[in-house]
Each structure stands twice: as structure tokens, then as C-alpha cells.
Amino acid sequence: MVMESESYEGFVTLQRSVKQLHFGSWEEKESAAKEVKRLAAKDLKTRKLLANLGVIPALVSMLDSDILEGRRLAVQALIELASGTYTNKVLMMEAELLSKLPANINTLNKSSSSDYAQLLLSISYLVNTQVPIPSSNILPFLIGILDSDSSMGTKLDCLGALYNLSSMLGNVGFLVSDGVVHTLLTLSSDQEVSEKALAILGNLVVSIMGKKAMENDPMVPDSLIEIMTWETKPKCQELAAYILMILAHQSSVQRAKMAKSGIVQVLLEVALLGSPLAQKRALKLLQWFKDEKQTRIGAHSGPQTGSTVIASHSNENEMKKGKKIIKKMVKQSLLKNLEVIMRRANTGGESSMVKAFVTSSSSKSLPY
């Protein structure tokens, strides 16, 4: 009897909240939105039931209001309704959620910015479906939050959404034209959010527009080279090396800028002490920094622009040339810095690796 009573009371509460959302005063709508948030947090079945009762369009319509508290409650309810259900996200898009985003980021406080970022991150997972996500609405809003004085958690949510959206080539033009490249480069220097920022840059750099924007940014290549020195952030090293590879490929101008910024010494250290993938990418870059008069970089030896993982497909002759180049560079550059590098090596095995790399005249174990 008690369970039946509780079930009946829950049904009455749900029915009342739905009715208030559709026909109530503004105060009643706010109260109903708060109740819908609580109910939606229970389970997926309840979220689907609420959606079937038409609460999503009613909540989205509340975002048109100038009353901050009402908008906040509506967004929080939508966050709960979107959790774990593709259908509810689609219903939000059909209700034109993105057209109701605030035009001025400055009108939002930090809490509201965080709520919107969380909701848009959830919506952005639709990018791999047939549901269109209008870039002209969502991208400027996300970039605006990144450029504002938002919390680190909010920035991470925005970066997660931008990563999903940047995976679609059609969005690259909007992202670049909105000035996101410089924002991402700035954020990539912060170790708390660097990995996500670099992942987005990795998606953008494979396009002509994205690559051009990075080449022209004053932070490139210095900021990326600096990230390559982060020994405790191997994933960041790998992503920075990937971006530098694409920028350096078939571009003597970019390679000259990198050389001037001291990339060779950094690459040598990463080639010895980095993760396996970072080592491979560093060694490939080192091959390209040999005498420009004796080297031509063919298209087959550069990174594959359609993939986030760069594999070596060098032929045997290229391998031999690469090893000769590396040995020559090691003798000239690494010997005088050997003491510094060996201090960074944490194990005897790494120290032996350094010595072997420097002294070997027939290094056959190099990845490239």
C-alpha cells in the first residue's frame, strides 16, 4: 500500500509539473522546471516519459526569457533530460535550442556559463549522426565562454564540445574564421587543459585553412616546442609533435622558424626519453632537419593528413639516410648536452640507451 501511495503521489507530481510548464505562470514554470530536473535525474525511463509528455519544447522556450534564474533552471533540467538519450537530444535540436543561446556572454554568471557548457557538450555528441548542428550558433558561443573568465571545468566542457564539432571538416572554416586557433594555442600552454586544446588543433591543422592560421600565429612554433619539453605530459608531447610534423612538412619556411626556436635539441631529448609514439614523431622530424641542400621531402614521407596517428612508411633507403642524419646530429649536438639529458633519465636502462644512441655507429634498432 505504501509503495502504491508513493507511486501515485509521484505520478500526480509529474502531471502537475508538466501542466505548469505548459500553462502556468512564470513562477509556476520555474517551480516545474526545478521539479522536472529532480525527476529526470532518477532514471532513463523517467527521462523518456517526460520527453513524451512534451516538456522539452516548453523548457527550451523558457530560454527566451530575460530572467536569469528561470533560464538557469530550464538549462539544468535540459541537462538531466539529455543524459543518456539520443532521442531527447534530437528533440532539443528540433525545438531550436541553439537559436536561443544568449547573444551576449557577459550577461551570464560563472554558474550559468558552466550549465550552458555542460548542455552543449552533451548536444555536440550528435555530430556523428545525421542530425545537423548549426555551426553559426554554437561555435561563437563556445569560443566566447573560452575567452571569458570561466572556470577550468567550464573550459574543459567547452573544449570537449569543440573537439566533437571540429571532427567534422565542414566546421573547420567556421572555427578558424571565429579566431579559435589563437585561443586554443593560448589554452594549450596551460597543462590542465592542454591535451584537449591540442587535440582540437590536431583536427584543424589537417585542413588548409587551419594550417594557414597556425602558420601565421605568433605563438607558433615556440609554444608547441615548449610543450614538447613537458616530460610528465606524454600525450601533450605526442600531439604537439603531430602538429609540428604537419606544419614542417614540405615547408622550408616553417622548418627554418622551428630550427631558429631551438627545436633540434628538444627533439633529440624526446627521441630518447619520450613515449614510443613521441619518439617516432621526433625522429621523423629530425630526419627533415638535415642539410636543406641535400634533402627533399616527398609527399610520401610526411604525415598522413587524414589520421591522428602518424605511421612510418619510409622505404629502406630513407631509413638508412635517416639513421645517418640522426647519428651526425647526435654527435654534433647531443654530446655536449649528454650530461643534462642523463640527469633526466630516471633509470639505468635509460642511461644506457643514451650512451648507446650516441656511441653506436650502426644503430639498427631505431624506429625510423
Side-chain angles (χ1 to χ4, degrees):
M1 292 293 294
V2 175
M3 291 183 65
E4 289 181 1
S5 177
E6 289 179 351
S7 177
Y8 177 75
E9 289 178 3
F11 176 76
V12 171
T13 300
L14 187 151
Q15 191 178 44
R16 181 177 63 249
S17 298
V18 172
K19 183 178 180 180
Q20 288 176 337
L21 269 179
H22 286 291
F23 309 110
S25 65
W26 183 256
E27 290 74 17
E28 289 176 328
K29 288 179 183 290
E30 287 187 350
S31 177
K34 189 174 183 179
E35 187 63 25
V36 168
K37 173 189 173 184
R38 185 188 69 80
L39 292 169
K42 286 186 175 182
D43 53 49
L44 181 59
K45 182 179 179 181
T46 302
R47 291 193 285 275
K48 290 183 176 181
L49 174 60
L50 286 164
N52 289 335
L53 293 173
V55 302
I56 288 177
L59 288 167
V60 171
S61 68
M62 290 178 68
L63 302 184
D64 278 330
S65 171
D66 293 329
I67 303 175
L68 182 61
E69 179 63 13
R71 292 207 314 261
R72 185 182 69 83
L73 290 170
V75 170
Q76 290 178 351
L78 289 169
I79 290 171
E80 295 295 344
L81 287 166
S83 177
T85 161
Y86 164 85
T87 302
N88 286 6
K89 292 183 179 72
V90 173
L91 289 173
M92 292 177 197
M93 294 299 296
E94 291 177 350
E96 300 184 352
L97 168 68
L98 299 184
S99 68
K100 301 182 187 300
L101 297 175
N104 186 359
I105 299 296
N106 296 325
T107 62
L108 302 177
N109 56 31
K110 287 189 176 182
S111 177
S112 295
S113 295
S114 177
D115 290 337
Y116 272 104
Q118 191 175 344
L119 177 59
L120 293 179
L121 171 59
S122 182
I123 293 295
S124 71
Y125 286 104
L126 290 174
V127 74
N128 293 320
T129 69
Q130 298 300 315
V131 181
I133 300 180
S135 303
S136 58
N137 295 116
I138 190 171
L139 295 180
F141 186 80
L142 290 170
I143 296 169
I145 294 181
L146 284 176
D147 287 331
S148 69
D149 185 27
S150 54
S151 68
M152 195 60 66
T154 300
K155 290 185 187 296
L156 285 170
D157 284 341
C158 286
L159 289 171
L162 284 175
Y163 176 77
N164 290 338
L165 295 169
S166 69
S167 65
M168 299 297 290
L169 191 59
N171 290 329
V172 171
F174 288 101
L175 282 164
V176 174
S177 61
D178 282 330
V180 74
V181 168
H182 187 73
T183 297
L184 292 172
L185 286 168
T186 301
L187 290 171
S188 69
S189 297
D190 186 330
Q191 294 194 14
E192 289 189 70
V193 296
S194 181
E195 185 176 327
K196 285 195 174 183
L198 289 169
I200 300 170
L201 289 170
N203 283 343
L204 298 180
V205 75
V206 299
S207 70
I208 296 175
M209 289 182 66
K211 183 178 180 182
K212 193 69 175 177
M214 287 182 219
E215 289 175 343
N216 294 333
D217 195 284
M219 294 185 68
V220 175
D222 296 61
S223 64
L224 295 170
I225 294 173
E226 174 62 26
I227 293 169
M228 292 277 287
T229 67
W230 294 356
E231 298 174 1
T232 60
K233 296 287 184 177
K235 187 63 177 179
C236 292
Q237 284 185 323
E238 293 166 5
L239 290 167
Y242 171 69
I243 296 168
L244 287 167
M245 284 185 73
I246 295 180
L247 293 175
H249 180 231
Q250 293 185 328
S251 176
S252 59
V253 173
Q254 292 303 312
R255 291 197 299 276
K257 286 172 64 177
M258 294 175 192
K260 187 177 180 181
S261 296
I263 193 174
V264 172
Q265 178 58 36
V266 174
L267 290 174
L268 287 167
E269 296 186 21
V270 174
L272 293 171
L273 306 176
S275 67
L277 182 55
Q279 286 180 343
K280 289 180 180 181
R281 292 176 176 175
L283 287 169
K284 174 58 70 176
L285 275 163
L286 284 171
Q287 291 181 30
W288 297 349
F289 281 99
K290 64 181 177 178
D291 189 350
E292 292 288 345
K293 295 180 181 180
Q294 299 177 359
T295 303
R296 292 182 180 179
I297 301 180
H300 65 282
S301 65
Q304 297 177 354
T305 58
S307 172
T308 57
V309 178
I310 301 177
S312 171
H313 296 289
S314 305
N315 57 37
E316 187 176 350
N317 290 333
E318 187 180 342
M319 292 276 287
K320 292 180 180 178
K321 290 180 181 178
K323 291 176 183 179
K324 290 180 181 179
I325 296 162
I326 293 170
K327 285 187 286 184
K328 180 179 178 181
M329 295 177 75
V330 167
K331 290 177 182 177
Q332 293 177 345
S333 303
L334 188 56
L335 276 173
K336 58 184 178 182
N337 295 291
L338 181 59
E339 186 177 347
V340 176
I341 298 175
M342 289 183 69
R343 280 203 302 268
R344 294 185 180 182
N346 296 320
T347 67
E350 288 177 312
S351 298
S352 299
M353 180 184 177
V354 173
K355 293 176 183 178
F357 190 85
V358 174
T359 58
S360 174
S361 60
S362 59
S363 183
K364 297 182 179 180
S365 61
L366 294 175
Y368 288 94

